Amino acid sequence: MNMMKSGAIGCLVTILCFFFFFFLSFTSEIHTDRLIRESNRSQFSLLKLHETDNHVHLDNGIVKLTLVKPSGTIARVGYQETENVLDNRHKETRRGYWDMVWVKSSTSQYDALHCTSFNVVAQTEDRIEVSFTNTWNVSHGENVVPLNIDKRYIILRGVSGFYSYAIFEHLKEWPGVHIGEARIVFKLDENMFRHMVISDDMQREMPTANDRKMGRTLDFKEAVVLENPINPALQGEVDDKYQYSCNTKDNRVHGWISSESNVGFWVIRPSDEFRGGGPLKQDLTSHASSTSLAMFLSSHYVGVRVRVRNGEAWKKVLGPVFIYLNSENNTNNKPNALWEDAKRQMLKETKKWPYDFPASTDYAHADQRGTITGRLLVRDSYLNRGRTIPAKSAYVGVAAPGYAGSWQRESKGYQFWTQTDETGSFIITSVRAGKYRLYAWVPTVIGDFKHEFNILIEPGSKVEAGDIVYSPPRNGPTLWDIGIADRPDPDPTLVNKLFINHTDKYRQYGLWERYTDLYPDQDLTYIVGKSDYRKHWFFAHVNRKVGKFYKPTTWKIIFDERNVMRGANYTLRLALASAQCANIQVWINDNPNGNLPHFETGRIGKDNAIARHGIHGLYWLYSIKVAGVKLLHGTNTVYLKQSLRFGPFNGVLYDYIRLEAPPT
Ligand SMILES: *[C@@H]1O[C@H](CO)[C@@H](O)[C@H](O)[C@H]1NC(C)=O
Ligand SMILES: *[C@@H]1O[C@H](CO)[C@@H](O)[C@H](O)[C@H]1NC(C)=O
Ligand SMILES: *[C@@H]1O[C@H](CO)[C@@H](O)[C@H](O)[C@H]1NC(C)=O
Ligand SMILES: *[C@@H]1O[C@H](CO)[C@@H](O)[C@H](O)[C@H]1NC(C)=O
């Protein structure tokens, strides 16, 4: 046989075979896909909805949800053999529930958001969604929060958990309302759930409610020293729910593990859009007495409530969040298998966002959203020879139109954030229709960026913002600066062991008194060129405890300057990471005793980050002009005094301080 020919035939056969197999694999893929879907369907039980006088039962064969009618609270979450993972010792309305704190003429009111009517809003082979509503009217009086509440619960076929979301609505003609907190609380069965997980390195065995009750209360009721805990390993530790706070951007899943039954209970937040305050807003997660929270709105670490005014129409969809249950029967498996699985589930839920199943018309589906793309650059006239460079790993987001940084205090609307890549490029996806302003901040660069135009998003919008340049505040070259400092070790008698070797050791209790311990009579003095901010800068400017009282402290920054330009202006930049009822006064070379300050911030801040073990609350930036005549040839001193002294928690956390020479 002719070698050429057989070669050609061989080739043809190969091609034919290729097509044949291609065809085969293609069709079989479609086929198996359908088979899998069909077998999934038959493999998963049918959804069941059963209503009695006082209850509604939702059951997908994996999870059994018992809701109280018409309040809309969760009495039972059944999973596998466990009839209820929630704590049966509590009333049916106090096991799993939405609630709210709001303000009526300056007093805080608690509202359990009990509803008055029940409806099935969707019931198909694949999903059931129920709704509990409360419709407000004037006859409810001023003790009921003036909002329409619609609480939803969803179960899906074959899904190991359930979803919940709510719609809050305020009509124009109603009295205004200030919301301090809105959340879902899950009180889990303490006998089952003792191991709490917030992140890979924030997890531990937790005290019970009774352990806390038997403990000694510290400077505020949330902080307790455990004196006789049921688990002797916890003896003498401090417990405080605020130690387990997390930045919104770092907390998409948290929950509890029952080591005995190998069951996990997880709160998964697939999107941050409905949480106010941006990526660095901190909030509670899970805490002692086997409690897991889904926080939606709060003034924690910000100090600002959601303010809906008289005459303002407002509506917001909170959620859905996903409550995921998992189990591991093979006890030889890795101890963290449930947590690893919960993280994988969180990624799956995040990918599915926006969900396609919520039935409320107020919930914006994928086709009702838009995207924004662009590239963020930074131009600092005294860095990189004034060249424009990409803003790497910058945070870029859209929120309600306002001033630069206003998103920190904003939670009435929705916010959408992302981070830029190496080239400064960003894409913000799934933005609900509405009017926004684009904001950004760049790690290691001071100040806040605000774009010059509002952005209007309509369903399907693809907005190209193009190249955007941020020119941070800058008047002249840096003479010196003081960066971020670390927090000192805690009082050894008031430790939470979790944070002993932890990078977040600032979560330890008692920052406000450590200053007194470290600087018992002499205040902090920082010498530019000699001191190291990592070691010699106590980043929290708090009061000193003297006997029973708290006294203001005055810090000194000493620097040498040989070529003072007396006819020109210098700029002192003071960036604060938090403030709690504080007033920072600044003197340049003048003695603070007997001279008016050169500058003062005035009374600022109520983010309470110092008491709540935060490393930051709200960001403040002050640019202070210093006339050259104020400076001396030789040694100069900047004095910083926090002048308010109501108690232990007044103070600021410094982020960054810089002195700029006059423009060149
Ligand atoms: C207002 O609310 C009350 C109590 O829920 C109800 O009885 C009444 O019918 C409502 N009035 C209107 C006008 O909806
Ligand atoms: C674990 O056990 C439960 C009930 O005994 C069962 O329904 C479930 O399928 C098991 N899970 C695995 C992963 O084997
Ligand atoms: C912290 O680390 C030290 C040294 O590695 C170790 O001996 C100690 O057991 C750790 N403590 C805790 C509470 O993890
Ligand atoms: C310095 O600041 C003062 C006060 O704002 C201003 O009047 C003056 O012109 C400035 N001097 C220079 C050289 O810019």
Side-chain angles (χ1 to χ4, degrees), residues 116 134-140:
T116 49
N134 197 13
T135 309
W136 192 84
N137 71 41
V138 195
S139 79
H140 287 97

Side-chain angles (χ1 to χ4, degrees), residues 567-569 625:
N569 292 318
K625 191 180 278 186

Side-chain angles (χ1 to χ4, degrees), residues 376 379 397-398 401-404 435-440 448-456 465-471:
L376 184 69
R379 185 168 50 229
V398 292
Y403 55 89
K435 191 158 66 161
Y436 299 93
R437 188 61 78 109
L438 188 133
Y439 303 97
D448 266 299
F449 171 76
K450 174 180 118 166
H451 194 38
E452 52 186 323
F453 309 113
N454 286 339
I455 292 177
L456 191 67
D467 281 1
I468 298 168
V469 179
Y470 173 44
S471 301

Side-chain angles (χ1 to χ4, degrees), residues 80-81 327-330:
Q80 295 179 346
E81 287 86 42
S327 64
E328 181 52 70
N329 300 346
N330 182 354

Side-chain angles (χ1 to χ4, degrees), residues 635-647:
T635 305
N636 290 271
T637 307
V638 175
Y639 299 89
L640 299 169
K641 178 181 184 182
Q642 196 296 102
S643 69
L644 300 178
R645 48 167 133 179
F646 301 110

Side-chain angles (χ1 to χ4, degrees), residues 219-220 511-513 516 541-553 580-582 603 608 610-611 642-652:
D219 284 359
F220 40 87
L511 172 71
W512 50 96
E513 295 201 344
T516 310
H541 198 158
V542 289
N543 292 329
R544 174 182 290 114
K545 192 173 185 187
V546 183
K548 277 185 174 168
F549 300 100
Y550 290 87
K551 298 247 167 96
T553 60
Q580 173 64 25
C581 192
R603 181 170 161 169
N608 218 7
I610 293 171
Q642 196 296 102
S643 69
L644 300 178
R645 48 167 133 179
F646 301 110
F649 309 123
N650 300 113
V652 302

